[in-house]
Amino acid sequence: MTDLLAILDTEVQTLEALVRVSQAERQALMTFETVGLRQRVDEKEALLGEEDAVRTSREAWLLARGAETLPEYLATLSEAAAAPIVERRTRIRALLAALSELNQLSLLQATRQLRWVRTRRRTLSGAGGPTYGRRGVEGRGVAGLGLNAVV
């Protein structure tokens, strides 16, 4: 059982690192740091590979003991023997919930930024309708950029 505890501890550490990198990724998104964002994405990709390996070793350990899932294995243990495993399982579930929330927030931020970029690109390319100002509809302005010349 100490092998399982070591595997679960490694999984907790990997997920904690993923949460930290996801927080840094979100910060890079919010501040338009493209280099920092690229670094965080690379770090996250590496950590996800590590998490996959840890999960695979956990599943192999459980299958070797005749259980397909952790709750199935826990059902075969006494309450006292299961307590350290349950503690780690609870921590893993909390970290996964935090990761899910961070990923949703990052997706929302990225979507907003993409919408902003598309709007600015459309405005600067002269696409779209007329420009609206204090006097109502005005011409497209200087060189089709949507900027009204001040005379």
Side-chain angles (χ1 to χ4, degrees):
M1 189 163 82
T2 56
D3 291 342
L4 178 60
L5 292 175
I7 291 169
L8 293 175
D9 285 338
T10 302
E11 191 166 3
V12 166
Q13 291 168 358
T14 305
L15 289 172
E16 286 173 341
L18 266 170
V19 167
R20 282 191 301 276
V21 169
S22 293
Q23 289 169 335
E25 176 189 46
R26 184 163 185 272
Q27 185 63 36
L29 265 171
M30 292 174 64
T31 57
F32 288 91
E33 294 176 30
T34 55
V35 174
L37 181 60
R38 181 73 237 164
Q39 290 171 346
R40 299 301 85 77
V41 168
D42 291 342
E43 288 176 39
K44 197 172 180 180
E45 192 173 306
L47 286 168
L48 287 171
E50 287 178 33
E51 172 57 24
D52 250 1
V54 171
R55 187 176 35 82
T56 300
S57 65
R58 175 175 41 90
E59 290 169 354
W61 191 94
L62 289 169
L63 285 173
R65 277 127 190 106
E68 290 189 28
T69 63
L70 195 55
E72 189 178 312
Y73 178 72
L74 287 171
T76 66
L77 300 176
S78 68
E79 192 174 316
I85 298 171
V86 170
E87 175 187 324
R88 287 162 176 85
R89 180 176 177 252
T90 302
R91 180 73 179 137
I92 289 169
R93 291 178 65 149
L95 288 166
L96 289 172
L99 272 173
S100 176
E101 186 175 333
L102 280 167
N103 285 335
Q104 288 173 352
L105 290 171
S106 291
L107 176 62
L108 179 64
Q109 184 67 29
T111 303
R112 285 179 180 161
Q113 287 180 355
L114 185 58
R115 196 176 311 134
W116 181 86
V117 167
R118 286 179 180 161
T119 301
R120 294 305 169 266
R121 187 178 61 199
R122 203 171 33 250
T123 300
L124 291 173
S125 69
T131 303
Y132 294 89
R134 288 188 308 237
R135 295 174 291 200
V137 178
E138 299 177 8
R140 287 302 301 162
V142 179
L145 294 177
L147 305 172
N148 294 316
V150 178
V151 181

